[in-house]
Amino acid sequence: FGSRTFGSILTETRQLQLRSLTMASLLSSVPGGEAMKEEMKKKAEEQVGEQAPDMIKPLFPILGGPVKTVECCMCLVPADKQEQAKSAIAKYKEM
C-alpha cells in the first residue's frame, strides 16, 4: 500500500462507487442510455462470473446468474477475493 492507509483506500473505493452510481443515473436520462446501462450491467456480471470459483459456476443457471450465485455462495469464494467480489456485486446492484 505504500504510504496510503487503509482508511484512505476505503475512501477512494467509496468515491469510485459514487462515480459509478452517478454515471448509471445519468445514463438513464441520455437517449440510448438504457442500452449503455444494460451493457455496463452485463460486463459487471461477466466480471463476477469470471472471478467466481469453478466449483460454483454450474450453479449460475440454477441460482439466477453469476451475481446471485456468488452472493449466495460467498463462503466458497477465497478469503482474499471476497472483498473484490462484494465490491463488484455492490456496483452491479447500484446500476
Side-chain angles (χ1 to χ4, degrees):
F1 297 113
S3 63
R4 297 178 359 187
T5 65
F6 185 70
S8 69
I9 293 169
L10 283 177
T11 301
E12 290 173 21
T13 302
R14 293 284 181 222
Q15 288 172 348
L16 290 173
Q17 288 174 340
L18 286 174
R19 284 186 210 148
S20 295
L21 180 59
T22 302
M23 179 69 81
S25 298
L26 290 174
L27 286 175
S28 298
S29 63
V30 175
E34 283 298 319
M36 292 173 69
K37 188 175 172 181
E38 286 302 315
E39 183 65 28
M40 287 174 62
K41 279 185 100 168
K42 185 174 178 124
K43 285 183 181 182
E45 191 171 69
E46 288 173 2
Q47 179 186 10
V48 170
E50 289 170 4
Q51 295 175 354
D54 290 336
M55 69 180 95
I56 65 171
K57 288 182 179 183
L59 299 174
F60 289 176
I62 299 166
L63 295 176
V67 174
K68 289 183 181 178
T69 303
V70 171
E71 188 174 31
C72 290
C73 302
M74 189 61 72
C75 62
L76 297 173
V77 176
D80 62 329
K81 303 279 186 186
Q82 284 187 6
E83 282 304 314
Q84 185 178 10
K86 288 176 185 178
S87 174
I89 290 169
K91 185 169 71 169
Y92 174 84
K93 287 183 173 186
E94 289 173 357
M95 289 185 217

